Structures are given as C-alpha cells and as structure tokens.
Amino acid sequence: MNTCEVCGNTYDRTFEVIQEGKSHIFDSFECAIHALAPVCEHCGCRVMGHGVQDEDAIFCCVHCAEESGVAGLRDRQ
Ligand SMILES: [Zn+2]
Ligand SMILES: [Zn+2]
C-alpha cells in the first residue's frame, strides 16, 4: 500500500514516476498529470502530449506559442 502524493489516497495499485531523478507516487494518471505535466504558457492548459518548447517556455500548440510572440516553432509530428 502506498499513498498518492497529490490526493493522499492510500491504494494498493499506486505507481511510481521518476522525473529528474526524483520519485513520485500516484494512485492515478490524473494525479500524476496534475503534479507533473507542464502548463501551457499562453492558455494555461496542461500539456500532456509533446507540446512545443521554446527555451524554457512550453506551449500546448504552435498557435499558443505564436500568440505569445514566439515565431518559428512547429508542432512535432
Ligand atoms: Zn491521487
Ligand atoms: Zn495553449
């Protein structure tokens, strides 16, 4: 039994995600996304796919990057 670090649920099927060498325990993907997924700099939605990245900024799509004044990014195929 482990405890989800987001919602505190104690569950026998938690899973571990290692991000940047740090271990995180979750009871669901929803909690993992809540804790680990980056947020689009423009619209604020969680970036769960590849997204597009410019230096440190992450956007959910090229449209959001362009709206924030970042030109020349392409959606990864
Ligand atoms: Zn949870
Ligand atoms: Zn966005």
Side-chain angles (χ1 to χ4, degrees):
M1 296 289 273
N2 262 316
T3 302
C4 172
E5 68 177 53
V6 172
C7 67
N9 184 28
T10 303
Y11 187 50
D12 63 358
R13 288 185 194 159
T14 52
F15 58 95
E16 181 181 30
V17 176
I18 310 275
Q19 190 183 54
E20 292 171 9
K22 206 163 166 280
S23 160
H24 300 270
I25 302 291
F26 303 108
D27 66 335
S28 65
F29 283 109
E30 194 168 352
C31 287
I33 287 163
H34 180 80
L36 302 179
V39 173
C40 174
E41 293 274 323
H42 181 70
C43 70
C45 74
R46 296 276 170 190
V47 180
M48 282 171 245
H50 291 296
V52 293
Q53 195 164 359
D54 172 59
E55 305 287 324
D56 295 330
I58 288 189
F59 302 96
C60 65
C61 60
V62 168
H63 170 81
C64 281
E66 288 176 348
E67 288 288 309
S68 294
V70 179
L73 292 179
R74 294 176 59 197
D75 277 314
R76 287 192 216 168
Q77 298 299 310

